[in-house]
Amino acid sequence: MTSIRLAVNGEQRDADVEPRQLLVYFLREQLGLKGTNVGCDTSSCGACTVLLDGESVKSCTVLAVQADGCEITTIEGLAHGEELQPMQQAFHEQHALQCGFCTPGFVLAAVSLLRENPNPSEAEIRRGLEGNLCRCTGYDNIVKAVRAAAGAGS
Ligand code: FES
Ligand code: FES
């Protein structure tokens, strides 16, 4: 086992993990943060997307030990109490989800996208989110939500 220390949603966490433990399973099973989903385990779907030091990563492609010393944000860390983060609010208002399985990953990938490019075009949004798959929405409302959040200064 290897000892790691990281900040998850602003809270310091110390843990012992197996060196082969993936970050996504560390978050889900050791920390109980089940909002980070596993859709494929092969880095294809983006359902496991989290922010690592502010940048979106697919947490099924990162070892927990690689996150040692880092700051992780999961979907549970975005809202302030009852107040949704602007990207979450935009997904809600623009009906950008149906089953919701892909949504945490999309929201975090979109937050990261707007940090890099605060006013993306539709093409830039589609390109920026191409690593995330949704089998329900057809993507149009997701793009609308990201545009709306960009307008709101997310
Ligand atoms: S579970 Fe990580 S990309 Fe699909
Ligand atoms: S809302 Fe169902 S997979 Fe995206």
Side-chain angles (χ1 to χ4, degrees):
M1 300 290 264
T2 302
S3 296
I4 60 172
R5 169 175 288 187
L6 63 171
V8 180
N9 298 331
E11 192 179 330
Q12 184 178 306
R13 301 284 198 149
D14 294 287
D16 293 324
V17 296
E18 286 192 38
R20 64 178 180 168
Q21 173 80 300
L22 293 171
L23 179 59
V24 65
Y25 292 114
F26 171 70
L27 294 170
R28 286 180 60 84
E29 293 170 8
Q30 279 183 250
L31 302 189
L33 296 171
K34 299 284 176 71
T36 306
N37 286 324
V38 180
C40 67
D41 234 354
T42 55
S43 80
S44 302
C45 74
C48 63
T49 302
V50 300
L51 301 183
L52 190 153
D53 288 342
E55 293 196 11
S56 65
V57 296
K58 293 178 176 177
S59 60
C60 74
T61 68
V62 179
L63 295 168
V65 292
Q66 291 177 293
D68 186 28
C70 297
E71 287 186 23
I72 303 292
T73 303
T74 71
I75 196 68
E76 290 89 346
L78 278 191
H80 293 292
E82 296 292 303
E83 187 185 338
L84 293 177
Q85 193 269 357
M87 187 64 73
Q88 293 176 301
Q89 186 68 33
F91 268 63
H92 172 62
E93 290 174 358
Q94 301 297 324
H95 309 291
L97 60 139
Q98 289 181 29
C99 80
F101 189 84
C102 70
T103 309
F106 263 103
V107 167
L108 288 161
V111 166
S112 176
L113 173 68
L114 290 196
R115 283 185 186 161
E116 288 172 21
N117 180 358
N119 190 21
S121 66
E122 177 175 342
E124 287 171 330
I125 293 169
R126 289 185 185 274
R127 194 160 54 244
L129 299 180
E130 66 188 2
N132 291 69
L133 303 179
C134 174
R135 61 185 178 183
C136 303
T137 65
Y139 300 99
D140 286 349
N141 286 0
I142 291 174
V143 174
K144 278 186 205 160
V146 179
R147 288 173 72 91
S154 175

